[in-house]
Protein backbone atom coordinates (compact mmCIF):
# COMPACT_ATOMS: atom_id res chain seq x y z
CA UNK A 1 0.00 0.00 0.00
CA UNK A 2 1.42 3.36 -1.03
CA UNK A 3 0.53 6.71 0.48
CA UNK A 4 1.40 10.35 -0.03
CA UNK A 5 4.23 11.59 2.21
CA UNK A 6 1.83 13.86 4.07
CA UNK A 7 -1.29 11.73 3.72
CA UNK A 8 -2.01 11.82 7.46
CA UNK A 9 -2.32 15.63 7.32
CA UNK A 10 -4.58 15.30 4.28
CA UNK A 11 -6.63 12.70 6.16
CA UNK A 12 -7.17 14.99 9.15
CA UNK A 13 -8.08 17.95 6.96
CA UNK A 14 -10.35 15.75 4.87
CA UNK A 15 -12.24 14.64 7.97
CA UNK A 16 -12.64 18.24 9.06
CA UNK A 17 -14.07 19.20 5.67
CA UNK A 18 -16.03 16.09 4.77
CA UNK A 19 -19.22 17.40 6.33
CA UNK A 20 -19.08 20.45 4.07
CA UNK A 21 -20.22 19.29 0.59
CA UNK A 22 -19.35 22.60 -0.98
CA UNK A 23 -15.71 22.24 0.12
CA UNK A 24 -13.69 20.50 -2.64
CA UNK A 25 -10.80 19.57 -0.35
CA UNK A 26 -11.09 15.77 -0.72
CA UNK A 27 -11.36 16.14 -4.47
CA UNK A 28 -8.14 18.19 -4.50
CA UNK A 29 -6.36 15.61 -2.34
CA UNK A 30 -7.40 12.80 -4.67
CA UNK A 31 -6.40 14.82 -7.72
CA UNK A 32 -2.98 15.33 -6.14
CA UNK A 33 -2.72 11.59 -5.47
CA UNK A 34 -3.71 10.82 -9.05
CA UNK A 35 -0.60 12.66 -10.23
CA UNK A 36 1.61 10.34 -8.19
CA UNK A 37 2.59 7.52 -10.54
CA UNK A 38 3.20 4.95 -7.80
CA UNK A 39 -0.17 5.60 -6.15
CA UNK A 40 -2.00 5.55 -9.47
CA UNK A 41 -0.43 2.18 -10.26
CA UNK A 42 -0.69 0.39 -6.90
CA UNK A 43 -3.56 2.24 -5.27
CA UNK A 44 -3.98 3.15 -1.59
CA UNK A 45 -6.48 2.93 1.25
CA UNK A 46 -8.34 6.07 2.29
CA UNK A 47 -8.74 5.97 6.09
CA UNK A 48 -11.67 7.95 7.47
CA UNK A 49 -12.19 5.96 10.68
CA UNK A 50 -13.99 7.79 13.47
CA UNK A 51 -11.80 6.51 16.30
CA UNK A 52 -8.59 8.38 15.57
CA UNK A 53 -6.61 8.53 18.84
CA UNK A 54 -4.30 11.32 17.75
CA UNK A 55 -6.66 13.99 16.44
CA UNK A 56 -10.39 14.36 17.23
CA UNK A 57 -12.31 14.15 13.96
CA UNK A 58 -16.00 14.46 13.03
CA UNK A 59 -17.60 11.11 12.28
CA UNK A 60 -18.88 10.37 8.79
CA UNK A 61 -22.67 10.47 8.46
CA UNK A 62 -24.97 9.12 5.76
CA UNK A 63 -25.03 12.53 4.03
CA UNK A 64 -21.24 12.75 4.15
CA UNK A 65 -20.98 9.33 2.53
CA UNK A 66 -23.03 10.51 -0.43
CA UNK A 67 -20.54 13.33 -1.02
CA UNK A 68 -17.58 10.98 -0.57
CA UNK A 69 -18.67 8.30 -3.04
CA UNK A 70 -19.47 10.95 -5.66
CA UNK A 71 -15.80 11.94 -5.51
CA UNK A 72 -14.46 8.39 -5.24
CA UNK A 73 -16.36 7.42 -8.37
CA UNK A 74 -13.63 9.21 -10.33
CA UNK A 75 -10.70 7.99 -8.23
CA UNK A 76 -9.92 4.49 -9.47
CA UNK A 77 -6.63 4.42 -7.55
CA UNK A 78 -8.51 4.32 -4.20
CA UNK A 79 -8.56 0.55 -3.70
CA UNK A 80 -9.36 0.57 0.04
CA UNK A 81 -11.84 2.51 2.15
CA UNK A 82 -11.84 2.52 5.97
CA UNK A 83 -15.08 3.92 7.43
CA UNK A 84 -14.94 2.17 10.80
CA UNK A 85 -16.48 3.71 13.94
CA UNK A 86 -18.62 6.27 12.14
CA UNK A 87 -22.36 7.09 12.10
CA UNK A 88 -23.49 5.19 9.03
CA UNK A 89 -26.98 3.68 9.14
CA UNK A 90 -29.08 1.69 6.69
CA UNK A 91 -29.38 4.83 4.57
CA UNK A 92 -25.60 4.96 4.27
CA UNK A 93 -25.58 1.24 3.48
CA UNK A 94 -27.88 1.97 0.54
CA UNK A 95 -25.41 4.55 -0.77
CA UNK A 96 -22.53 2.13 -0.31
CA UNK A 97 -24.43 -0.68 -2.03
CA UNK A 98 -25.01 1.51 -5.08
CA UNK A 99 -21.33 2.43 -5.09
CA UNK A 100 -20.29 -1.24 -4.92
CA UNK A 101 -22.51 -2.06 -7.88
CA UNK A 102 -20.93 0.69 -9.96
CA UNK A 103 -17.32 0.58 -8.70
CA UNK A 104 -14.87 -1.93 -10.15
CA UNK A 105 -11.66 -1.04 -8.27
CA UNK A 106 -12.45 -1.09 -4.53
CA UNK A 107 -10.84 -4.17 -2.96
CA UNK A 108 -11.09 -3.43 0.79
CA UNK A 109 -14.07 -1.99 2.69
CA UNK A 110 -14.15 -1.56 6.47
CA UNK A 111 -17.58 -0.69 7.90
CA UNK A 112 -17.00 -2.05 11.40
CA UNK A 113 -18.95 -0.60 14.34
CA UNK A 114 -21.35 1.63 12.50
CA UNK A 115 -25.16 1.48 12.95
CA UNK A 116 -26.04 -0.69 9.96
CA UNK A 117 -28.94 -3.06 10.58
CA UNK A 118 -30.70 -5.90 8.79
CA UNK A 119 -31.99 -3.89 5.82
CA UNK A 120 -28.57 -2.34 5.28
CA UNK A 121 -26.98 -5.78 5.35
CA UNK A 122 -29.46 -6.95 2.71
CA UNK A 123 -28.49 -4.06 0.43
CA UNK A 124 -24.73 -4.55 0.79
CA UNK A 125 -24.97 -8.33 0.41
CA UNK A 126 -27.17 -7.85 -2.64
CA UNK A 127 -24.60 -5.52 -4.21
CA UNK A 128 -21.95 -8.22 -3.81
CA UNK A 129 -23.96 -10.59 -5.97
CA UNK A 130 -22.63 -8.71 -8.99
CA UNK A 131 -19.53 -6.95 -7.61
CA UNK A 132 -16.31 -8.54 -8.91
CA UNK A 133 -13.64 -6.41 -7.23
CA UNK A 134 -14.16 -6.43 -3.44
CA UNK A 135 -11.77 -8.87 -1.75
CA UNK A 136 -12.14 -8.00 1.97
CA UNK A 137 -15.26 -6.81 3.80
CA UNK A 138 -15.47 -6.01 7.53
CA UNK A 139 -18.98 -5.70 8.99
CA UNK A 140 -17.79 -6.27 12.57
CA UNK A 141 -20.03 -4.87 15.29
CA UNK A 142 -22.96 -3.82 13.09
CA UNK A 143 -26.11 -5.31 14.62
CA UNK A 144 -27.35 -6.93 11.43
CA UNK A 145 -28.86 -9.84 13.36
CA UNK A 146 -29.56 -13.36 12.26
CA UNK A 147 -31.55 -12.31 9.19
CA UNK A 148 -28.85 -9.87 8.07
CA UNK A 149 -26.26 -12.60 8.40
CA UNK A 150 -28.38 -14.91 6.26
CA UNK A 151 -28.26 -12.38 3.43
CA UNK A 152 -24.47 -12.64 3.48
CA UNK A 153 -24.69 -16.43 3.59
CA UNK A 154 -26.84 -16.35 0.43
CA UNK A 155 -24.31 -14.00 -1.17
CA UNK A 156 -21.52 -16.53 -0.58
CA UNK A 157 -23.31 -18.98 -2.87
CA UNK A 158 -23.06 -16.48 -5.73
CA UNK A 159 -20.00 -14.27 -5.20
CA UNK A 160 -16.70 -15.74 -6.39
CA UNK A 161 -14.40 -12.78 -5.63
CA UNK A 162 -14.62 -12.12 -1.88
CA UNK A 163 -11.70 -13.64 0.07
CA UNK A 164 -12.22 -12.29 3.62
CA UNK A 165 -15.53 -11.69 5.39
CA UNK A 166 -15.80 -10.45 8.98
CA UNK A 167 -19.20 -10.94 10.65
CA UNK A 168 -17.89 -10.97 14.21
CA UNK A 169 -19.99 -9.28 16.94
CA UNK A 170 -22.91 -8.89 14.52
CA UNK A 171 -25.54 -10.75 16.60
CA UNK A 172 -25.94 -13.51 14.03
CA UNK A 173 -27.74 -16.65 15.17
CA UNK A 174 -28.15 -20.35 14.62
CA UNK A 175 -29.82 -20.19 11.20
CA UNK A 176 -27.18 -17.80 9.86
CA UNK A 177 -24.30 -20.01 10.98
CA UNK A 178 -25.89 -23.14 9.53
CA UNK A 179 -26.63 -21.44 6.22
CA UNK A 180 -23.10 -19.98 6.09
CA UNK A 181 -21.59 -23.42 6.68
CA UNK A 182 -23.73 -24.86 3.86
CA UNK A 183 -22.72 -22.00 1.54
CA UNK A 184 -19.04 -22.62 2.23
CA UNK A 185 -19.36 -26.21 1.03
CA UNK A 186 -19.90 -24.66 -2.42
CA UNK A 187 -17.89 -21.43 -2.26
CA UNK A 188 -14.33 -21.88 -3.55
CA UNK A 189 -13.01 -18.33 -3.18
CA UNK A 190 -13.45 -17.34 0.50
CA UNK A 191 -10.21 -17.77 2.43
CA UNK A 192 -11.05 -16.23 5.81
CA UNK A 193 -14.23 -15.75 7.82
CA UNK A 194 -14.86 -14.33 11.29
CA UNK A 195 -18.00 -15.66 13.00
CA UNK A 196 -17.11 -14.59 16.55
CA UNK A 197 -19.76 -14.03 19.23
CA UNK A 198 -23.04 -15.21 17.73
CA UNK A 199 -26.22 -15.19 19.81
CA UNK A 200 -27.00 -18.85 20.46
CA UNK A 201 -29.85 -20.11 22.63
CA UNK A 202 -29.14 -23.83 22.22
CA UNK A 203 -26.48 -25.78 24.09
CA UNK A 204 -26.47 -28.66 21.58
CA UNK A 205 -23.62 -27.23 19.44
CA UNK A 206 -25.54 -27.73 16.18
CA UNK A 207 -23.58 -24.91 14.59
CA UNK A 208 -20.24 -26.57 15.35
CA UNK A 209 -21.50 -29.82 13.81
CA UNK A 210 -22.43 -28.03 10.57
CA UNK A 211 -19.14 -26.13 10.47
CA UNK A 212 -17.27 -29.41 10.98
CA UNK A 213 -19.15 -30.97 8.07
CA UNK A 214 -18.18 -27.99 5.94
CA UNK A 215 -14.50 -28.37 6.83
CA UNK A 216 -14.53 -31.95 5.57
CA UNK A 217 -15.19 -30.78 2.01
CA UNK A 218 -14.01 -27.15 1.89
CA UNK A 219 -10.58 -26.84 0.29
CA UNK A 220 -10.18 -23.05 0.18
CA UNK A 221 -10.76 -21.75 3.73
CA UNK A 222 -7.48 -20.75 5.39
CA UNK A 223 -8.63 -18.76 8.44
CA UNK A 224 -11.63 -19.52 10.70
CA UNK A 225 -12.69 -17.58 13.82
CA UNK A 226 -15.15 -19.32 16.17
CA UNK A 227 -14.64 -17.29 19.34
CA UNK A 228 -17.42 -17.09 21.96
CA UNK A 229 -19.43 -19.98 20.51
CA UNK A 230 -19.90 -21.64 23.91
CA UNK A 231 -18.03 -24.58 22.43
CA UNK A 232 -17.37 -27.56 24.67
CA UNK A 233 -15.46 -30.81 24.35
CA UNK A 234 -18.04 -32.34 21.98
CA UNK A 235 -17.69 -29.44 19.55
CA UNK A 236 -13.89 -29.61 19.62
CA UNK A 237 -14.06 -33.33 18.91
CA UNK A 238 -16.28 -32.70 15.88
CA UNK A 239 -13.90 -30.05 14.51
CA UNK A 240 -10.82 -32.23 15.03
CA UNK A 241 -12.37 -35.21 13.26
CA UNK A 242 -13.17 -32.96 10.30
CA UNK A 243 -9.69 -31.44 10.21
CA UNK A 244 -8.08 -34.86 9.77
CA UNK A 245 -9.47 -34.64 6.23
CA UNK A 246 -8.83 -30.92 5.70
CA UNK A 247 -5.56 -29.76 4.13
CA UNK A 248 -6.25 -26.03 3.73
CA UNK A 249 -7.09 -24.54 7.17
CA UNK A 250 -4.05 -22.87 8.72
CA UNK A 251 -5.53 -20.55 11.36
CA UNK A 252 -8.12 -21.80 13.89
CA UNK A 253 -9.49 -19.41 16.53
CA UNK A 254 -11.33 -21.13 19.40
CA UNK A 255 -10.87 -18.34 21.94
CA UNK A 256 -13.35 -17.58 24.73
CA UNK A 257 -15.12 -20.93 24.71
CA UNK A 258 -15.74 -23.63 27.32
CA UNK A 259 -12.93 -25.98 26.32
CA UNK A 260 -11.28 -27.95 29.13
CA UNK A 261 -8.43 -30.48 29.19
CA UNK A 262 -10.54 -33.30 27.71
CA UNK A 263 -11.25 -31.18 24.65
CA UNK A 264 -7.60 -30.26 24.26
CA UNK A 265 -6.79 -33.98 24.18
CA UNK A 266 -8.54 -34.12 20.78
CA UNK A 267 -6.50 -31.11 19.62
CA UNK A 268 -3.30 -32.78 20.78
CA UNK A 269 -4.09 -35.90 18.76
CA UNK A 270 -4.94 -33.73 15.76
CA UNK A 271 -1.61 -31.89 15.96
CA UNK A 272 0.24 -35.20 15.89
CA UNK A 273 -1.12 -35.92 12.40
CA UNK A 274 -2.16 -32.56 10.95
CA UNK A 275 0.74 -30.79 9.25
CA UNK A 276 -1.28 -27.87 7.87
CA UNK A 277 -2.47 -25.89 10.90
CA UNK A 278 -0.11 -22.98 11.66
CA UNK A 279 -1.97 -20.84 14.23
CA UNK A 280 -4.08 -22.08 17.14
CA UNK A 281 -5.84 -19.61 19.46
CA UNK A 282 -7.12 -21.11 22.73
CA UNK A 283 -7.21 -17.81 24.59
CA UNK A 284 -9.64 -17.65 27.55
CA UNK A 285 -10.60 -21.30 27.87
CA UNK A 286 -9.76 -23.59 30.81
CA UNK A 287 -7.32 -26.21 29.56
CA UNK A 288 -5.22 -26.22 32.79
CA UNK A 289 -2.00 -28.23 33.19
CA UNK A 290 -3.35 -31.44 31.72
CA UNK A 291 -4.39 -29.68 28.52
CA UNK A 292 -1.03 -27.93 28.29
CA UNK A 293 0.69 -31.30 28.61
CA UNK A 294 -1.37 -32.71 25.71
CA UNK A 295 -0.28 -29.79 23.52
CA UNK A 296 3.34 -30.02 24.65
CA UNK A 297 3.55 -33.72 23.84
CA UNK A 298 2.30 -33.17 20.29
CA UNK A 299 4.51 -30.14 19.69
CA UNK A 300 7.66 -31.69 21.13
CA UNK A 301 7.62 -34.98 19.27
CA UNK A 302 5.22 -34.92 16.37
CA UNK A 303 4.06 -31.58 15.01
CA UNK A 304 6.29 -29.41 12.83
CA UNK A 305 3.74 -27.05 11.28
CA UNK A 306 2.30 -24.97 14.14
CA UNK A 307 3.93 -21.54 14.27
CA UNK A 308 1.81 -19.70 16.83
CA UNK A 309 -0.03 -20.81 19.96
CA UNK A 310 -2.08 -18.65 22.35
CA UNK A 311 -3.03 -20.17 25.70
CA UNK A 312 -3.67 -16.86 27.51
CA UNK A 313 -5.87 -17.10 30.64
CA UNK A 314 -6.29 -20.88 30.80
CA UNK A 315 -5.60 -21.54 34.52
CA UNK A 316 -2.27 -23.21 33.70
CA UNK A 317 0.30 -23.42 36.51
CA UNK A 318 4.07 -23.88 36.46
CA UNK A 319 3.94 -27.57 35.53
CA UNK A 320 2.03 -26.98 32.31
CA UNK A 321 3.88 -23.78 31.38
CA UNK A 322 7.24 -25.44 31.90
CA UNK A 323 6.27 -28.26 29.54
CA UNK A 324 5.27 -25.70 26.92
CA UNK A 325 8.60 -23.88 27.35
CA UNK A 326 10.37 -27.18 26.73
CA UNK A 327 8.24 -27.69 23.61
CA UNK A 328 9.32 -24.28 22.31
CA UNK A 329 12.95 -25.18 23.02
CA UNK A 330 12.79 -28.39 20.99
CA UNK A 331 10.35 -27.36 18.24
CA UNK A 332 12.10 -24.74 16.12
CA UNK A 333 9.01 -24.19 13.96
CA UNK A 334 7.00 -22.81 16.89
CA UNK A 335 7.96 -19.13 16.84
CA UNK A 336 5.07 -17.35 18.65
CA UNK A 337 3.59 -18.26 22.04
CA UNK A 338 1.33 -16.15 24.27
CA UNK A 339 0.98 -17.20 27.94
CA UNK A 340 -0.14 -14.19 30.02
CA UNK A 341 -3.03 -14.65 32.46
CA UNK A 342 -1.86 -18.01 33.79
CA UNK A 343 -0.20 -18.85 37.14
CA UNK A 344 3.54 -18.22 36.88
CA UNK A 345 5.92 -19.77 39.36
CA UNK A 346 9.69 -19.37 39.63
CA UNK A 347 10.48 -22.18 37.19
CA UNK A 348 8.12 -20.68 34.61
CA UNK A 349 9.79 -17.27 34.87
CA UNK A 350 13.28 -18.76 34.54
CA UNK A 351 12.31 -20.99 31.60
CA UNK A 352 10.77 -18.20 29.51
CA UNK A 353 13.54 -15.78 30.47
CA UNK A 354 16.06 -18.25 29.09
CA UNK A 355 14.07 -18.64 25.87
CA UNK A 356 14.03 -14.85 25.41
CA UNK A 357 17.64 -14.15 26.41
CA UNK A 358 19.04 -16.92 24.20
CA UNK A 359 17.09 -15.58 21.23
CA UNK A 360 14.99 -18.71 20.84
CA UNK A 361 11.87 -16.62 21.51
CA UNK A 362 11.90 -13.14 19.98
CA UNK A 363 10.51 -10.32 22.11
CA UNK A 364 7.86 -9.45 19.55
CA UNK A 365 6.68 -13.06 19.41
CA UNK A 366 5.42 -13.39 22.98
CA UNK A 367 3.41 -11.37 25.49
CA UNK A 368 5.81 -11.48 28.44
CA UNK A 369 9.10 -9.78 29.26
CA UNK A 370 11.44 -10.67 32.17
CA UNK A 371 12.48 -8.23 34.89
CA UNK A 372 14.44 -8.66 38.10
CA UNK A 373 13.63 -7.58 41.67
CA UNK A 374 15.99 -8.40 44.57
CA UNK A 375 17.75 -11.02 42.54
CA UNK A 376 14.55 -12.82 41.52
CA UNK A 377 13.18 -13.02 37.97
CA UNK A 378 9.54 -12.14 37.23
CA UNK A 379 7.52 -11.82 34.02
CA UNK A 380 5.62 -8.66 33.05
CA UNK A 381 2.93 -8.39 30.41
CA UNK A 382 3.55 -7.05 26.90
CA UNK A 383 0.70 -5.81 24.73
CA UNK A 384 1.22 -8.49 22.10
CA UNK A 385 -1.14 -11.18 20.85
CA UNK A 386 -2.86 -12.78 17.90
CA UNK A 387 -5.65 -10.20 17.94
CA UNK A 388 -3.72 -7.20 19.20
CA UNK A 389 -5.30 -4.75 16.77
CA UNK A 390 -8.43 -6.64 15.82
CA UNK A 391 -10.64 -3.69 16.78
CA UNK A 392 -8.31 -0.76 16.14
CA UNK A 393 -5.18 -0.06 14.15
CA UNK A 394 -2.23 2.23 15.01
CA UNK A 395 -1.99 5.52 13.15
CA UNK A 396 1.74 5.87 13.74
CA UNK A 397 3.68 5.36 10.52
CA UNK A 398 6.59 3.96 12.51
CA UNK A 399 4.58 0.81 13.33
CA UNK A 400 5.28 -1.91 10.80
CA UNK A 401 2.09 -3.11 9.04
CA UNK A 402 2.61 -6.69 10.18
CA UNK A 403 3.02 -5.63 13.80
CA UNK A 404 -0.65 -4.70 14.01
CA UNK A 405 -1.67 -8.34 14.29
CA UNK A 406 0.69 -11.23 14.84
CA UNK A 407 -1.60 -13.63 13.01
CA UNK A 408 -1.59 -11.54 9.86
CA UNK A 409 2.17 -11.21 10.13
CA UNK A 410 2.49 -14.99 10.14
CA UNK A 411 -0.33 -15.81 7.78
CA UNK A 412 -1.27 -13.11 5.23
CA UNK A 413 -4.51 -13.91 3.44
CA UNK A 414 -4.59 -10.99 1.04
CA UNK A 415 -2.83 -7.67 0.57
CA UNK A 416 -5.26 -6.12 3.05
Amino acid sequence: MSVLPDLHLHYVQACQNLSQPENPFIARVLQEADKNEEISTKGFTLKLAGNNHLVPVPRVTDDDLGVLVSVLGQAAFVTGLDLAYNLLTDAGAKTMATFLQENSTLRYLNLMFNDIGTSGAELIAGALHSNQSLVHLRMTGNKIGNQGGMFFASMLKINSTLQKLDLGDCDVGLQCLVKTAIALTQNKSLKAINLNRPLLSSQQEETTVHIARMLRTNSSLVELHLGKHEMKNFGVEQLCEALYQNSSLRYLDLSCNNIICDGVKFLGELLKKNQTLEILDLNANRIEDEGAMHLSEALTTWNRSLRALSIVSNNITGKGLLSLAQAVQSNMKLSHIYIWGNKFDRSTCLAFTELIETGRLQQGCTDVVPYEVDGRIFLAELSHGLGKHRYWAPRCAAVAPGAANASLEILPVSEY
Side-chain angles (χ1 to χ4, degrees):
M1 181 179 70
S2 301
V3 295
L4 290 170
D6 54 350
L7 185 58
H8 177 71
L9 173 61
H10 290 327
Y11 158 67
V12 173
Q13 292 176 319
C15 286
Q16 293 170 340
N17 290 277
L18 186 57
S19 58
Q20 303 174 26
E22 71 280 0
N23 194 312
F25 186 84
I26 289 182
R28 293 204 308 272
V29 170
L30 295 177
Q31 288 173 359
E32 181 181 339
D34 193 25
K35 298 175 183 178
N36 185 298
E37 183 177 350
E38 184 179 6
I39 290 178
S40 298
T41 303
K42 295 183 179 181
F44 74 94
T45 296
L46 181 62
K47 295 185 177 182
L48 295 172
N51 65 331
N52 191 310
H53 297 289
L54 300 179
V55 181
V57 294
R59 293 189 173 183
V60 179
T61 66
D62 295 333
D63 292 338
D64 297 334
L65 184 61
V67 178
L68 178 63
V69 298
S70 67
V71 177
L72 293 181
Q74 303 176 18
F77 51 87
V78 177
T79 55
L81 183 58
D82 184 350
L83 293 170
Y85 296 96
N86 282 297
L87 302 175
L88 303 178
T89 67
D90 290 338
K94 183 177 181 179
T95 302
M96 182 55 66
T98 302
F99 180 66
L100 289 173
Q101 289 175 321
E102 300 172 351
N103 184 277
S104 61
T105 60
L106 196 68
R107 292 170 54 81
Y108 169 65
L109 177 60
N110 187 349
L111 295 173
M112 66 186 295
F113 290 101
N114 280 277
D115 295 316
I116 298 172
T118 301
S119 59
E122 181 179 11
L123 293 168
I124 292 175
L128 293 179
H129 285 199
S130 57
N131 181 281
Q132 297 182 356
S133 63
L134 198 68
V135 173
H136 185 181
L137 173 64
R138 296 200 68 182
M139 292 293 295
T140 324
N142 288 284
K143 305 309 177 184
I144 64 176
N146 186 63
Q147 186 60 48
M150 291 179 70
F151 290 124
F152 281 102
S154 299
M155 175 272 297
L156 290 174
K157 295 181 179 180
I158 301 171
N159 183 287
S160 60
T161 307
L162 199 66
Q163 293 183 19
K164 296 187 71 174
L165 176 62
D166 192 338
L167 296 178
D169 304 289
C170 285
D171 291 356
V172 301
L174 172 64
Q175 294 86 351
C176 169
L177 295 179
V178 171
K179 192 170 183 178
T180 299
I182 294 173
L184 290 178
T185 61
Q186 306 171 23
N187 185 292
K188 304 301 180 184
S189 60
L190 198 73
K191 290 181 170 55
I193 188 166
N194 184 348
L195 298 172
N196 284 350
R197 213 221 67 181
L199 299 184
L200 301 175
S201 57
S202 172
Q203 297 291 319
Q204 301 302 312
E205 300 195 75
E206 301 100 320
T207 57
T208 308
V209 172
H210 281 85
I211 291 171
R213 290 175 182 170
M214 175 272 294
L215 290 173
R216 293 177 188 271
T217 58
N218 184 288
S219 59
S220 60
L221 201 64
V222 173
E223 179 173 335
L224 176 61
H225 295 267
L226 299 175
K228 300 181 182 178
H229 273 237
E230 300 182 20
M231 192 181 303
K232 305 176 188 65
N233 298 337
F234 172 76
V236 176
E237 182 180 11
Q238 297 298 307
L239 289 177
C240 289
E241 289 180 358
L243 289 174
Y244 281 113
Q245 304 174 37
N246 183 292
S247 59
S248 64
L249 194 72
R250 288 183 278 162
Y251 182 7
L252 179 60
D253 176 6
L254 300 178
S255 60
C256 304
N257 280 294
N258 297 321
I259 302 171
I260 62 174
C261 57
D262 291 339
V264 179
K265 185 175 181 179
F266 298 117
L267 285 168
E269 292 301 316
L270 173 68
L271 290 175
K272 290 179 181 180
K273 298 180 180 179
N274 181 290
Q275 298 299 321
T276 305
L277 203 61
E278 295 185 18
I279 301 175
L280 179 59
D281 190 349
L282 294 173
N283 171 36
N285 283 280
R286 196 175 180 85
I287 71 172
E288 302 183 318
D289 288 342
E290 186 177 345
M293 299 292 283
H294 288 313
L295 294 174
S296 300
E297 179 189 1
L299 293 171
T300 301
T301 309
W302 305 88
N303 185 278
R304 288 299 181 270
S305 65
L306 200 71
R307 301 176 62 185
L309 173 65
S310 176
I311 41 89
V312 172
S313 299
N314 267 276
N315 200 39
I316 305 173
T317 67
K319 179 181 177 181
L321 292 169
L322 190 60
S323 70
L324 287 168
Q326 293 169 348
V328 174
Q329 191 68 262
S330 61
N331 186 338
M332 302 306 294
K333 189 70 173 180
L334 187 62
S335 58
H336 294 63
I337 186 166
Y338 304 99
I339 64 170
W340 186 257
N342 293 294
K343 299 177 181 179
F344 301 154
D345 61 7
R346 186 172 184 179
S347 61
T348 300
C349 297
L350 292 174
F352 278 89
T353 298
E354 182 180 357
L355 289 173
I356 294 170
E357 290 182 348
T358 59
R360 172 61 192 90
L361 188 59
Q362 298 298 318
Q363 195 66 78
C365 299
T366 186
D367 57 351
V368 293
V369 60
Y371 68 97
E372 184 175 345
V373 176
D374 295 333
R376 183 173 176 180
I377 300 296
F378 297 89
L379 295 177
E381 182 184 15
L382 287 178
S383 182
H384 293 168
L386 292 176
K388 178 179 178 182
H389 291 158
R390 182 170 293 169
Y391 296 107
W392 66 280
R395 299 293 176 187
C396 179
V399 177
N405 187 317
S407 64
L408 299 180
E409 170 77 359
I410 300 169
L411 189 61
V413 173
S414 71
E415 65 177 292
Y416 298 104

